[in-house]
Amino acid sequence: MDVTALLDGLNPPQRDAVAAPLNHQLVLAGAGSGKTRVLVHRIAWLMQIEHLSPGSILAVTFTNKAAKEMRQRIEDLTGISPRHLWIGTFHSLAHRLLRIHWQQANLPENFQIIDSDDQLRLIKRIVRAMNIDEKEFQPKQAQHYINSQKDEGLRAKHIQPFNDRWAQTMVTIYGAYEEACQRGGMVDFAELLLRAHELWLNQPEVLAQYQNRFRFILVDEFQDTNSIQYAWLRVLAGKVIPMMAVGDDDQSIYGWRGAKIENILQFSKDFAGAQEVKLEQNYRSTSNILNAANAVIDNNPSRLGKKLWTDGEAGEPIHLYQAFNEQDEARFICEQVEQWKINNSTKRYENIAILYRSNAQSRVLEEAFIRAALPYRIYGGQRFFDRLEIKNAMAYLRLMQNRHDDAALERVINVPARAIGEKTVQLLRDLARDEGSSLWQALMQGIEHKLLTPRALTSLSGFANLIAQMETTCSGIALHEQVDHVIKSSGLIEHHLKEKGEKAQTRLENLDELVTAARSFNMDEAIEKQLQNDVPDDALIQSPLAAFLDQSALDSGDTQADEFADSVQMMTLHSAKGLEFPLVFLAGVEEGLFPHKMSANDPERLEEERRLCYVGITRAMERLVISYAESRRLHGQENVNSPSRFIGEIPAEYMQEVRLKATIKKPVSNFFGTSAAKEATGMNIGQRVWHAKFGEGVILDMEGQGAQSRLQVSFDFDGTKWLVAAYAKLTAME
Ligand code: ATP
Ligand code: MG
């Protein structure tokens, strides 16, 4: 193999790292400086020049997706099948080891992995069985306690709580939980890592086997390793296996999950004499984008401190859009995507990413993309209408609308629990099958002819009455009031509250969000859409509830692009780590949302939020669009937010405010410069207006003075337009 081919496309410090002798290495460098590229080339080098077999190389990545990409790149570079390489996340590697060495790890052969939902449920059962007060010692807290102890490598028997009653109880729960897991052959995520670590400590011959096997270890995203992960690596490497750690302290964003930036400093101590590699040239982003990122992260006091430069072009300024509200923001993003696609016809949708701080922001974006018929894909996090609590609420609404919706009936007949058991439901199914009727008809028949036990009859009548009452109350009230009423009277709130903690909170927020969705549901638009599809007049869906159900069914159906289809990528900032895209949108960059309000007052957490912002900005290669909404409805609440402090930390010279048609607006420093236009037109942003040709709409923005004043109006049917105020002859409504 040609040495130069492996070193092609690398700068001198990158080459030094790739072609170094087999020793410890620490590559500490900023975003987009080619760390992952170095890691991949290093693996190729080890195989081709050092002749290490693929099976003797261990590489740790942060996601399974990254592992997959790495395999592909290695194969492209070397032509060698990477099948035998050990590449994966800490969890997947630990899992693999435990499957091979289940006996030595003291596990049953068919041990089961449990996710954090299962884990919480198990802890709850234990807490109840032990008669511990669930209010004082919340299962959710116990879960957090157990996982963080495991992350520190501690078993219940290792912990000495002394006279601390709270800690004593937690340790007791931890111990009982350990026993239950051991009995049932269950392994949670944190346990995977702890067991794999204990495998090294307790089974010297297994450790020796792997120390003989592996000749080199490589770790990407090292700044986000936690204690147990690092300990696992350190013990494995021992004094025998050289290790390359690659990371960036400015991109440590999992502190809230136990990640330790300090591991970077510890590495230099534990692996004395490690070659330290600094990469300072960024190859990913235009200089405007890079300078903005550097300026933002510079506000963090505790940094190891690195310089990052690029000899690339300045590129476009960063675009900043002040949206009127979250709907306007989503619409703006869609228009930008369409525009970009027209101007860059050879580029693909997957070159575009929309990044946001919290998963709940995705609903509005999703809806806008569906309306605009743009392909999109959401990574991680469930689509809004696929969420359990939303499906439950929608099932009540569906049943109210149509009693013969069997799927809806099955879903909620006993949710919340109303003592209608599986036996009763099976009886209804049999009856319905024999009669060729719906489940609802079977239910009514069962009640009428007393075909069931008195207890079941009482429960079934209760259910039937509930649905009937819902319908009565809901006749004649607005759609969002209907949704609100159904959620409240169904008992779903109490039902989900029983789950307690963060999960219950999220579910309730989502239910609120459903009311918000109903409130912003536009009936005129729904009818217009039907007319466009040539639905005949007498078949038009006129009821807002029916139209809403119709649309949400679409939203949860196959509207999302297939995994392999070309589509815009939507994801949280956390899951964007390590990735890059020519066009990146950072949406919802507002105080309270980003930085998150929970972190704004804690200096350490604020620094982590800022690192997250740095990660976000540095994902962009060519164009970065930052948007924030003046007012945002989220979790059913309307909030008026100011632009994020992070926007203020970007020097104005790299930024430019944009308008929908990408025209240039007032200087960045002047966030709210609309007063002149407001005086001239006598209108306000947000005002509903009527136009002789375009019909009804809402004012999104205004600019200019006197006779030059222009208004931006989003018309219900004709899209968004800029109009000269003097000629538009708008009539104010409401
Ligand atoms: P992050 O911190 O975001 O994980 P990174 O440091 O791992 O970034 P890479 O993803 O490896 O950076 O590289 C960023 C981009 O720069 C990639 O598109 C990569 O192909 C390119 N790149 C890296 N080094 C060079 C080089 N010497 N010449 C040309 N392009 C390079
Ligand atoms: Mg990387």
Side-chain angles (χ1 to χ4, degrees), residues 187-370:
V187 175
D188 61 50
F189 291 146
E191 182 75 21
L192 281 173
L193 303 174
L194 180 52
R195 280 274 164 155
H197 184 234
E198 288 171 345
L199 186 65
W200 293 161
L201 301 184
N202 303 338
Q203 307 287 336
E205 73 295 342
V206 177
L207 176 62
Q209 179 189 337
Y210 285 92
Q211 288 185 330
N212 279 330
R213 172 192 188 123
F214 293 126
R215 306 288 304 283
F216 209 90
I217 302 173
L218 307 94
V219 194
D220 201 0
E221 307 280 2
F222 185 69
Q223 75 281 356
D224 274 323
T225 49
N226 67 22
S227 299
I228 192 81
Q229 291 167 339
Y230 181 54
W232 182 79
L233 284 173
R234 202 180 43 219
V235 174
L236 172 63
K239 296 217 174 327
V240 286
I241 313 176
M243 171 148 70
M244 172 188 244
V246 166
D248 176 5
D249 57 307
D250 289 332
Q251 294 186 71
S252 171
I253 53 177
Y254 283 93
W256 54 285
R257 248 172 37 183
K260 298 245 154 70
I261 310 188
E262 307 87 71
N263 285 344
I264 296 179
L265 302 176
Q266 194 58 40
F267 184 91
S268 308
K269 289 186 199 137
D270 291 339
F271 298 91
Q275 175 196 19
E276 299 213 352
V277 180
K278 287 203 163 59
L279 307 175
E280 299 187 324
Q281 182 169 3
N282 171 294
Y283 290 93
R284 178 180 293 149
S285 311
T286 64
S287 73
N288 279 334
I289 293 171
L290 186 65
N291 290 340
N294 283 340
V296 169
I297 198 67
D298 219 25
N299 291 281
N300 269 3
S302 44
R303 302 176 61 207
L304 298 179
K306 293 180 265 63
K307 288 230 158 38
L308 210 51
W309 59 277
T310 172
D311 67 2
E313 293 169 17
E316 307 173 21
I318 292 166
H319 300 300
L320 179 68
Y321 182 68
Q322 173 191 343
F324 164 57
N325 59 20
E326 76 286 357
Q327 301 280 347
D328 178 36
E329 178 182 57
R331 189 171 39 216
F332 165 76
I333 291 176
C334 284
E335 288 195 20
Q336 290 278 306
V337 166
E338 281 165 349
Q339 203 60 50
W340 188 83
K341 205 42 187 145
I342 293 170
N343 297 339
N344 300 272
S345 54
T346 55
K347 295 235 168 92
R348 295 168 62 82
Y349 283 114
E350 66 195 17
N351 293 146
I352 306 173
I354 304 177
L355 311 180
Y356 35 80
R357 177 69 182 84
S358 108
N359 265 317
Q361 284 170 262
S362 68
R363 182 187 63 80
V364 173
L365 290 165
E366 221 182 327
E367 285 182 356
F369 270 68
I370 293 168

Side-chain angles (χ1 to χ4, degrees), residues 9 11 14 31-37 251 283-284 580 619:
N11 64 29
Q14 289 176 331
S33 59
K35 295 184 296 297
T36 303
R37 187 173 169 119
Q251 294 186 71
Y283 290 93
R284 178 180 293 149
E580 61 187 22
R619 298 310 95 197

Side-chain angles (χ1 to χ4, degrees), residues 363 384-385 389-390 393-394 397 480 483 487 509-519 548 552 636:
R363 182 187 63 80
F384 184 74
F385 284 101
E389 62 278 16
I390 300 303
M394 294 306 279
L397 290 163
H480 71 272
V483 174
I487 290 173
E509 283 174 358
N510 285 335
L511 287 172
D512 282 342
E513 187 68 19
L514 185 64
V515 179
T516 306
R519 193 196 294 268
F548 181 63
S552 60

